[in-house]
């Protein structure tokens, strides 16, 4: 269950190279950095953070560009266009700034692309990698292209039927109306729509296929079995292209398993970490 502003009191501001990041820490144990997705920041991943914090020291943050600046009709931001490479550099700098020594990194959706970029460009900064809801080369769909076009050009209300129809694809099935779904929509729309559009555009350029050979840490690719955004079969191929990687699917889950199936996802992450330790 999503609770509005859950864990908000645990967050604090961290400045790296002149940019402020909203960072949250939960739990105790081995450090695990969770990279949030395209919209909603770390607060959207709260169900997963809470589940993981039972076993790990969990660190998450809001990506560069989430903070609004100005009063433009589409939510103009201080950093209107940030490349995935910059997000990965931000993550590397945050890991260093927070004094984390080779933490595990878990990226969800757009955050999975950031985590993969970090792993191939900074392979010695992390200990293990978990990727959820991403593939080595993002294949845009007609739906995602239309959504990006609309987000770039039209100011939309949070209850826009057009966009919320796309949001329904994030679930394995149409979500039931109610407070839990309302919180998901509210948190997604806290990210300015121009930022969502820019990140969709960045995903259309994302491709690490020719750099996966650099990845030399134990890796788990974790998919929702009913993911309608990036099908589990395409995520399985990512695991097949990474030496020694494992693939697991969460039954009944869609693209946002970190919201709808947080406990099942946390169990898979824990099992992965235990396997890694057993082979050290």
């Amino acid at each position: 269950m999503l609770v509005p502003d859950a864990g908000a009191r645990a967050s604090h501001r961290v400045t790296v190279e002149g940019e402020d990041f909203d960072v949250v820490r939960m739990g105790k144990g081995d450090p695990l950095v969770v990279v949030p997705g395209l919209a909603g920041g770390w607060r959207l991943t709260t169900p997963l953070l809470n589940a993981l914090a039972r076993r790990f020291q969990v660190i998450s943050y809001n990506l560069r560009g989430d903070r609004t600046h100005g009063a433009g009709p589409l939510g103009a931001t201080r950093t209107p266009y940030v490349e995935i490479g910059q997000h990965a550099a931000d993550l590397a700098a945050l890991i260093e700034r927070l004094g984390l020594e080779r933490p595990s990194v878990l990226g969800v959706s757009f955050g999975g692309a950031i985590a993969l970029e970090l792993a191939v460009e900074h392979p010695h900064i992390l200990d293990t990698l978990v990727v959820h809801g991403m593939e080595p080369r993002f294949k845009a769909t007609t739906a995602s292209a239309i959504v990006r076009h609309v987000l770039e050009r039209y100011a939309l209300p949070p209850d826009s039927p057009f966009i919320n129809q796309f949001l329904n694809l994030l679930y394995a099935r149409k979500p039931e109306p109610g407070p839990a779904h309302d919180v998901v929509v509210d948190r997604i729309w806290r990210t300015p729509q121009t930022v969502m559009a820019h990140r969709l555009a960045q995903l259309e350029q994302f491709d690490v296929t020719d750099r996966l050979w650099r990845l030399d840490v134990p890796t788990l690719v974790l998919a929702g079995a009913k993911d309608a955004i990036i099908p589990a079969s395409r995520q399985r191929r990512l695991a097949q292209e990474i030496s020694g990687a494992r693939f697991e699917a969460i039954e009944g889950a869609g693209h946002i398993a970190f919201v709808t199936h947080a406990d099942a996802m946390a169990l898979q992450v824990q099992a992965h970490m235990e396997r890694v330790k057993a082979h050290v």
Side-chain angles (χ1 to χ4, degrees), residues 98-112:
L98 294 172
L100 304 175
E101 186 175 350
R102 291 181 62 85
S104 298
V105 174
L106 188 168
V108 301
S109 187
F110 183 78

Side-chain angles (χ1 to χ4, degrees), residues 48-110:
L48 178 61
L49 300 183
N50 287 336
L52 291 170
R54 300 170 192 151
R55 175 65 190 272
F56 304 100
Q57 176 195 176
V58 182
I59 304 99
S60 192
Y61 65 105
N62 281 354
L63 304 176
R64 181 189 292 262
D66 276 357
R67 299 179 63 203
T68 58
H69 179 74
L74 298 182
T77 65
R78 185 171 56 187
T79 53
Y81 195 85
V82 184
E83 295 184 353
I84 290 176
Q86 178 63 64
H87 286 303
D90 288 341
L91 177 54
L94 270 172
I95 288 173
E96 181 178 357
R97 175 71 174 79
L98 294 172
L100 304 175
E101 186 175 350
R102 291 181 62 85
S104 298
V105 174
L106 188 168
V108 301
S109 187
F110 183 78

Side-chain angles (χ1 to χ4, degrees), residues 167-241:
L167 295 180
N168 289 342
L169 294 176
L170 300 176
Y171 296 83
R173 61 181 183 274
K174 185 176 181 180
E176 295 184 7
H181 177 59
D182 291 343
V183 171
V184 170
V185 174
D186 173 71
R187 290 184 178 174
I188 287 174
W189 280 100
R190 291 188 189 187
T191 300
Q193 69 176 76
T194 49
V195 173
M196 295 190 227
H198 294 151
R199 290 174 182 169
L200 283 170
Q202 278 294 304
L203 276 179
E204 292 174 7
Q205 304 299 318
F206 177 69
D207 186 355
V208 294
T209 52
D210 62 346
R211 293 177 287 158
L212 287 176
W213 62 270
R214 300 179 185 174
L215 210 165
D216 62 352
V217 297
T219 300
L220 170 67
V221 178
L222 191 55
K226 296 185 176 180
D227 193 331
I229 306 298
I230 301 178
S233 59
R234 282 161 43 186
Q235 297 183 56
R236 181 189 294 273
R237 286 198 290 271
L238 168 63
Q240 292 171 343
E241 294 176 16

